């Protein structure tokens, strides 16, 4: 947005689309903390089975 000026705010412009895509990707990407929690939970569930 910073380098595109007003084009970044025009609905349907390429810079606006790229920003929306970046926000979407950031929302889908798990955080390191979430991944560590999943790893910890999977280790605990495996140890209970064995």
């Amino acid at each position: 947005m910073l380098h595109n000026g007003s084009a970044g705010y025009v609905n349907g412009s390429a810079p606006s689309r790229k920003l929306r895509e970046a926000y979407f990707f950031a929302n889908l990407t798990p955080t390191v903390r979430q991944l560590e929690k999943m790893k910890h939970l999977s280790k605990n569930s495996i140890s209970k089975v064995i």
Side-chain angles (χ1 to χ4, degrees):
M1 299 301 277
L2 181 65
H3 302 292
N4 294 303
S6 62
Y9 297 96
V10 175
N11 206 9
S13 67
S16 175
R17 177 183 53 83
K18 289 179 183 179
L19 181 65
R20 286 193 316 272
E21 291 173 356
Y23 286 153
F24 181 74
F25 182 74
N27 287 332
L28 290 181
T29 306
T31 63
V32 172
R33 185 174 179 184
Q34 289 171 322
L35 293 173
E36 288 174 350
K37 183 178 179 182
M38 290 172 60
K39 183 178 174 183
H40 178 72
L41 291 174
S42 70
K43 281 184 180 179
N44 286 345
S45 65
I46 291 173
S47 64
K48 289 179 183 177
V49 172
I50 298 176

